[in-house]
């Protein structure tokens, strides 16, 4: 059974940093692209960043230059390093994977950027 468990969220001041982690199990992690999404209150869930199985990355324009997605296939974990955080980055952050078994989401981790 596929499981995705996010961690690392919290409250941070504007300009601060956080690193989110998503621990995966139940599938061949190294074979699949992994993505981070976020959903702010009253808004639709949006794609933040994706990393391919080979390590290529893509980002939504609003986080380019501030966020970095990476993966450690030995640990079955994908990360999202978030720097220079802004209040508009406040959201619940989710990791996601689409495998041959279906589409799976983690439970999410709250990130709040506020002074």
């Amino acid at each position: 059974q596929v499981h995705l468990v996010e961690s690392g969220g919290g409250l941070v001041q504007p300009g601060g940093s956080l690193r989110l982690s998503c621990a995966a199990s139940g599938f061949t992690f190294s074979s699949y692209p992994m993505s981070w999404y976020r959903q702010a209150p009253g808004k639709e869930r949006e794609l933040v960043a994706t990393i391919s199985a080979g390590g290529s990355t893509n980002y939504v324009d609003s986080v380019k230059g501030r966020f970095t997605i990476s993966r450690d296939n030995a640990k079955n974990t994908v990360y999202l390093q978030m720097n220079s955080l802004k209040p508009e980055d406040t959201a619940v952050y989710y990791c996601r994977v689409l495998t041959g078994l279906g589409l799976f989401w983690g439970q999410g981790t709250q990130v709040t950027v506020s002074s």
Side-chain angles (χ1 to χ4, degrees), residues 5-12 17-23 36 79-80 82 85 93 107-112:
V5 181
E6 300 97 335
S7 61
L11 173 64
V12 63
S17 298
L18 283 174
R19 188 177 82 154
L20 306 183
S21 300
C22 173
W36 283 98
Y79 303 98
L80 187 67
M82 305 186 296
L85 282 161
Y93 284 71
Q107 83 288 349
T109 186
Q110 176 71 48
V111 171
T112 302

Side-chain angles (χ1 to χ4, degrees), residues 1-2 6 22 34 41 69 76 80 84 92 108 112-113 115:
Q1 189 171 1
V2 174
E6 300 97 335
C22 173
M34 298 294 298
I69 188 171
N76 285 2
L80 187 67
S84 302
V92 179
T112 302
V113 185
S115 56

Side-chain angles (χ1 to χ4, degrees), residues 52-98:
S52 71
S56 299
T57 58
N58 283 287
Y59 301 90
V60 67
D61 285 348
S62 60
V63 309
K64 285 180 180 176
R66 300 188 298 121
F67 290 11
T68 303
I69 188 171
S70 62
R71 65 191 300 157
D72 185 336
N73 290 337
K75 296 182 178 179
N76 285 2
T77 300
V78 60
Y79 303 98
L80 187 67
Q81 177 67 45
M82 305 186 296
N83 299 328
S84 302
L85 282 161
K86 304 175 180 180
E88 51 263 43
D89 295 318
T90 294
V92 179
Y93 284 71
Y94 301 88
C95 64
R96 189 203 85 152
V97 65
L98 175 62

